Structures are given as structure tokens and as C-alpha cells.
Amino acid sequence: MGGDHGPHVTVPAALQALSVYSDLHLILVGDRPEILSVLRQHHASESVRLQILHADQVVQMGDKPLHALRRLKQSSMRLALDLVANGQANACVSAGNTGALMTMAKVVLKTLPGVDRPALVSALPSMHGQPVYLLDLGANACCDSEALFQFAVMGAVLAEQVTGNPNPRVALLNIGTEEIKGNDQVQQAARLLQSTPHINYIGFVEGDRIFTGDADVIVCDGFVGNVTLKTTEGIARLLMHQIAQSVKQNLMARCLSWLLKGRLKKLFLQMNPDHYNGASLLGLRHIVVKSHGNADEMAYLRAIEEAITEVQRQVPGKIKARLESVLLEKSC
Amino acid sequence: MGGDHGPHVTVPAALQALSVYSDLHLILVGDRPEILSVLRQHHASESVRLQILHADQVVQMGDKPLHALRRLKQSSMRLALDLVANGQANACVSAGNTGALMTMAKVVLKTLPGVDRPALVSALPSMHGQPVYLLDLGANACCDSEALFQFAVMGAVLAEQVTGNPNPRVALLNIGTEEIKGNDQVQQAARLLQSTPHINYIGFVEGDRIFTGDADVIVCDGFVGNVTLKTTEGIARLLMHQIAQSVKQNLMARCLSWLLKGRLKKLFLQMNPDHYNGASLLGLRHIVVKSHGNADEMAYLRAIEEAITEVQRQVPGKIKARLESVLLEKSC
């Protein structure tokens, strides 16, 4: 039900996913009549592989997380998470209220042993084509060094499992590359990572190296990560605005702006942490993928595919195992 | 002597400035023989308006700030700051080691009453053409709410004086616009600013609104500010890289890249906190402008012009007066 378009995007995306993945089963959680009518529009109906679970409530984009948690226990978001908690589903994909999803997921699905707080992570494009995983994107406004350390471990496992890179390079986002640079949390996290054999820690990277492919996983607190990614969106918009201005200047620019806008829009979509579907909530005992509210059918399909990949790779279990070995190592 | 090019950029830029500003006097601080030889190359010599102060030492880009402070007291950077402290110069412009410049400037020039820590500020482009002042850009990795409050006051005065905007809109950079969003420092700073009549505080802005012109002054801690601006540089580079790739694709794209590169380079220069000459150190009793080490003659000239403007507007005095009235208000 969530996002800007609700079932008008999620339902056709679900039908697409079912046609591509023959062993996929989906449960659409939300207003049954509305979902059925959209299904009808697409000449589809409920089936063994496409079930509907009716929900009376919907979490609105403006709802406060705690309100959603306490008052919206019959919401489509909550019921979808309950399905995962009960083992009736392997993963939850939502385009709804991010804060509410994170708060509900943490309570309903619980964090893995050794994880204090889940992190929101997404892949970004890099010059070398390989994705760069940046976390946390805003789940945690404040993070101590231990949280940053946990993010590094979780991000490394995700990169390993999704990209197949056996030894992803992990870096901490900082305001300089020398050891003395940055705040206490970052410096302490660096010491923790340096003393952990299970992680390929390569040191600090600055903001200008996020997209160069120098690192496969880049770790920062949720405040920095969120501002960083929102800034990329702002710059993409500024560029598109400047291009639009240049159109007025001459005919040459007019033709070129046409090509350019497409390229910038593509980059913009890649850059935008939300538009880049989907962001994963790492550190939970189960899989939750957040799609942007603006996602269209294709973008939402990508979010579903992200969930499928994480289910196939059993990402939460891999993170659990890695954390155990790391924590064991530390305690020795 | 500082920056990547030393006197080969600073000397011709100084000659340019002298030709444009007939009442300007400059003192070139550094290796006299080297400066004289560059002057000769430009058919110029020492004069009443262009003096040379010889310095035996140079702060290297890799020197640690404390090393520079304690061991390089005869460096061109230190002697230039001494000239300002002694009243023999109105402002210091340097393309040298940023950390060393900030550390030396704080000790040699002292902070204004009521200012705990100076902040590095620069103007960024916005969609509406008006510059947006972002601070801190990295002078302070950690900032409490009081420091953020002081940055807001200082940034507002700079915007007033340089752009002539009598009532600049001041915002705090945050990961959401609701009151509950962000960390304690930002939320406390918001309460401080809301209760201060001397500041046109408009609330929180997210990273995607930095360049929209919604605010004239945007305040954040030095960690966030530095990462944010370095990220803009990284994205500009990524875009240029992608354009370069597209050149291979087809002729249309080839023409496109030609126009685009210029535009992106321009934007890149504007975006890069360092390239965007020059960044001012606010909160000191005197004027210090930091030019990027990569600055060419024109860019370094802009840094000199920034210093001239701040001298003409007596920015430190205006900040001092504003802080006093604000602190008086708070104590009542």
C-alpha cells in the first residue's frame, strides 16, 4: 500500500517478478478490494503463487515511527513484517514510511546477536562499474565506534554475497586519510577494524573518493551517510537545472540538453539513495528491503529482486556467522 | 610559497590584483630570490605597493599543524599571520596547508570574544544564483550545539556583509526537517537559534536542499560539511568520467561531451570547497582567506578579492558586534 503509487506500482511489479522467477511466491499485504481491482486491470487474479493478505490499516508517509509501532498493528506494513517473523515469508519489501519500517522491523524481527542497531545500506555506482556499498544511510543519527565496526562487518558480508567479491575492501568515511583525522568514533572504529583479521580494512576515504571504486564498502554514521546521499541528489538536480538554463542559450545546447537530461536523470536515479532501489536493512534476523516511495514498476521490481538475492544468499545467516567469528576473535 | 604552484601563481595573481585595485598594497611573504625572479619574468619589481618579506621556512602540505605551529615560526605562513597580528597587514591570504593555517591563525590572531572555535566557510552556487554559505567545512570535526550556534551567527554576518542581503535565511543541515530528526547537537542548536531574535533561522534543511537557494546560510559540523563538499567533488568527477565514457559511444555524445565538460568543469570548480576560492576562517579577530593549493592565477586573484571585500566590510568587527548583542540577549 505504501509509496506514492501504492498497489498501482507494487501489484504490476509483483506480477512481473512472478513471471520472471518461476519458483517465487508473493503475498500482497494490503486492502484486498483495491489490490483485486488492480489485479483485474492487469488481467490477473489471486493464485497459489500470488496470495493476498488483507490489512485494515495503512502507515501514512507522515506517521511518526512510534505511532505506527503502537497504534498501527493491523497496518499492511506491520502484517507483512509479522509474516516474516512467523516464517510465513522469507523477506519483506516495502515502499512505505522508512522510519516506521525501521522501527517496526527492529521490534518485530529483532536484531542479530551482537548487533546493537540495524543499518540502512544501498549500493552506489562507481567509476569502475562495481557497486559501492555505503552505510549507514540514516537509520542511526548517532553511532559509536562499536556501531561503525558492526556496520563494516555487515556491509562486507552483503558485498561478498551480492557481488561475489570474496574480499571486499572496507573503508571508513572521514575528513582526511591520516590516522589523526576525524572524530573519536571514527578513529576508534579504525583501531577496531585494524585488529580484526576477518575484514579487509583499507583505512579512511574522503567524500571525493566514494565513487572512484577505491573501496567496495564505505562506513559512516547515519547522519553523515544521509546528508552525503541527499547531497548527491541535490547536485544532480542543480546540474539538471543548469542544463535546462543552457537550453535557452543556443540551439546546439538545446539538442544536447535532450541527450544530457537522460544521462543526468539516470545518474540522478542511481545517486539518489531512495530512488536507487532497494536499500536493505542490515543487522536484523530477517530480510527487509526498502523501496523508494517514488519507485516505478521497474524500480520496485529491482527491490523485489534484491530481496530474492538476499534470500538465496541467506544474508542474515551469513552476517550472524561472521559476527560470531569476529566477536569470538575479539574476546580471545 | 604555498599551494601546488607557489610564487608562479601567487605572484602574477598579486600583480593582477594591484592593477585592478589602485589603493591596494600587498606584501609577498616568502623566499625573496624566488619571488624576485618570478617578478622579473613578469617585468615587475618591488615597489611601494608591492613589498617582499623574506621567509627562510615554508610549511609543507604534509606538515602536521602542531609541528608547523611549534617548529616553523620563520615560515612564510607564520610571518604573514604575524604581519596581520601586528597590524602591518589587514588580511592574510594563503594557498598553503589548511590545517597548519587554521592552527597557526587561531594561536597568532586569537578568536573573537564568545567564539570557541573558528569555522571554515565558503560560498556555493545555488539554483537561484545567490550564493549559499556553508560552514563548517572541516575546521572542527566535532561541534556542540553552542559551536553550531556561533557558526550560524558568524555565517549570517558574512552573508549580510558580502551579499548585501539584510536578513539572510539561516538553516541547520539535518537528516530530516521534523523537530525530532537528527542528533542532540543539531536539535539543541535549533532551540538556541529559535530563541535568538538577531537571526533569521528557518529550520532544518536536508542535503538535497543545499543548492536550491532555500537558505542563504547552512550550518553543520566540520565533519559533515567536509564530507558533503568533498562528495560534491566526487560526483562531479564521476559525471565527467561517465561523459568521457559516452564519447566512445557515438558522435552525438562526442559533441555533447564537449559542451558538457566545460559546464561540468565549471560546476566542479564551483562545487569543490577548495577550488571555490576562497574559503574564509570566521571567528578570528582578523581576516584570513584560504585559497586552494590547486588555484590558478584567476582563482588566487578571487581569494585576494575575497580578502579585500572582508577588509572593506570589516567583517570581524561586525561579527564581534553581532556576537556581543546576541550573547547580551541570551544573558538577559
Side-chain angles (χ1 to χ4, degrees), chain B residues 213-275:
Chain B
D214 295 5
D216 303 303
V217 178
I218 299 179
V219 175
C220 58
D221 69 50
F223 195 107
V224 172
N226 186 278
V227 168
T228 299
L229 280 155
K230 291 259 174 77
T231 299
T232 65
E233 179 179 347
I235 293 156
R237 281 187 209 260
L238 176 63
L239 258 172
M240 284 196 273
H241 172 82
Q242 293 199 337
I243 302 309
Q245 295 300 310
S246 78
V247 173
K248 296 168 191 147
Q249 287 165 19
N250 58 53
L251 185 62
M252 181 68 166
R254 196 162 298 164
C255 329
L256 162 67
S257 69
W258 169 76
L259 256 192
L260 185 55
K261 267 190 173 154
R263 179 162 291 279
L264 282 175
K265 201 154 260 154
K266 182 160 159 277
L267 189 84
F268 170 71
L269 291 177
Q270 287 176 313
M271 286 299 183
N272 181 335
D274 305 320
H275 286 79

Side-chain angles (χ1 to χ4, degrees), chain A residues 206 230 232 238-239 256 271, chain B residues 206 230 235 238-239 259:
Chain A
E206 297 186 74
K230 290 263 175 75
T232 65
L238 176 62
L239 259 171
L256 293 172
M271 286 299 184
Chain B
E206 297 185 74
K230 291 259 174 77
I235 293 156
L238 176 63
L239 258 172
L259 256 192

Side-chain angles (χ1 to χ4, degrees), chain A residues 124 134 173 207 210-211 220 222-233 235 271 273, chain B residues 207 224 227-228 231-232 235:
Chain A
L124 297 177
L134 184 68
L173 188 57
I210 293 174
F211 309 99
C220 59
F223 195 107
V224 171
N226 186 277
V227 168
T228 299
L229 280 155
K230 290 263 175 75
T231 299
T232 65
E233 178 179 348
I235 294 156
M271 286 299 184
Chain B
V224 172
V227 168
T228 299
T231 299
T232 65
I235 293 156

Side-chain angles (χ1 to χ4, degrees), chain A:
Chain A
M1 303 303 292
D4 304 349
H5 316 295
H8 295 283
V9 158
T10 53
V11 169
L15 293 171
Q16 275 245 20
L18 288 169
S19 68
V20 178
Y21 301 90
S22 56
D23 55 351
L24 177 68
H25 288 61
L26 289 174
I27 306 169
L28 302 176
V29 188
D31 183 81
R32 170 180 287 275
E34 191 174 345
I35 293 171
L36 282 172
S37 79
V38 181
L39 279 174
R40 270 191 298 277
Q41 290 167 29
H42 292 80
H43 316 296
S45 60
E46 222 173 339
S47 70
V48 182
R49 291 176 55 211
L50 183 65
Q51 299 164 49
I52 300 174
L53 174 64
H54 177 72
D56 288 324
Q57 300 174 309
V58 172
V59 176
Q60 303 301 329
M61 285 312 207
D63 286 334
K64 296 248 183 302
L66 285 179
H67 168 78
L69 179 67
R70 292 172 184 155
R71 303 254 169 281
L72 302 177
K73 294 187 173 166
Q74 294 307 312
S75 61
S76 51
M77 185 184 283
R78 175 61 179 266
L79 293 184
L81 291 169
D82 289 340
L83 285 176
V84 176
N86 304 337
Q88 296 167 265
N90 296 109
C92 167
V93 180
S94 170
N97 180 321
T98 307
L101 182 66
M102 291 190 298
T103 303
M104 277 190 184
K106 191 178 171 185
V107 171
V108 174
L109 302 181
K110 307 277 185 304
T111 56
L112 289 165
V115 175
D116 300 325
R117 303 188 288 195
L120 197 62
V121 59
S122 189
L124 297 177
S126 81
M127 288 189 186
H128 303 332
Q130 279 294 315
V132 178
Y133 288 86
L134 184 68
L135 71 164
D136 172 33
L137 299 183
N140 312 281
C142 313
C143 299
D144 57 17
S145 56
E146 182 58 36
L148 294 174
F149 175 79
Q150 292 168 10
F151 296 167
V153 175
M154 299 192 295
V157 172
L158 183 69
E160 270 174 43
Q161 295 303 319
V162 175
T163 68
N165 176 348
N167 198 27
R169 299 155 299 163
V170 178
L172 286 165
L173 188 57
N174 199 356
I175 60 174
T177 52
E178 306 86 352
E179 271 191 7
I180 56 158
K181 286 298 178 80
N183 53 35
D184 295 346
Q185 303 91 284
V186 170
Q187 288 175 22
Q188 285 177 34
R191 286 189 283 275
L192 284 171
L193 289 166
Q194 279 156 355
S195 62
T196 305
H198 297 76
I199 298 176
N200 179 15
Y201 174 67
I202 62 169
F204 296 137
V205 294
E206 297 186 74
D208 58 342
R209 311 296 291 173
I210 293 174
F211 309 99
T212 52
D214 295 4
D216 303 303
V217 179
I218 299 180
V219 174
C220 59
D221 69 49
F223 195 107
V224 171
N226 186 277
V227 168
T228 299
L229 280 155
K230 290 263 175 75
T231 299
T232 65
E233 178 179 348
I235 294 156
R237 280 189 207 269
L238 176 62
L239 259 171
M240 285 197 273
H241 172 81
Q242 293 199 338
I243 301 309
Q245 295 299 310
S246 78
V247 173
K248 296 171 190 143
Q249 286 165 21
N250 60 55
L251 185 64
M252 176 72 164
R254 196 161 301 165
C255 332
L256 293 172
S257 70
W258 170 77
L259 256 188
L260 184 54
K261 268 191 173 154
R263 177 162 292 279
L264 282 174
K265 200 154 263 156
K266 181 159 158 283
L267 189 86
F268 170 71
L269 291 177
Q270 286 177 313
M271 286 299 184
N272 182 335
D274 304 318
H275 286 78
Y276 192 90
N277 260 3
S280 305
L281 260 176
L282 287 188
L284 298 169
R285 293 168 189 264
H286 302 278
I287 295 160
V288 178
V289 174
K290 171 66 174 68
S291 160
H292 185 259
N294 269 342
D296 62 11
E297 192 178 317
M298 282 310 299
Y300 199 81
L301 175 60
R302 278 201 297 277
I304 297 172
E305 288 175 321
E306 174 67 29
I308 292 171
T309 306
E310 292 185 26
V311 170
Q312 289 170 334
R313 305 290 202 289
Q314 302 173 14
V315 168
K318 300 276 187 8
I319 290 176
K320 181 170 182 289
R322 181 69 50 86
L323 282 167
E324 280 164 0
S325 58
V326 167
L327 296 175
L328 195 69
E329 191 79 32
K330 279 172 75 185
S331 63
C332 295

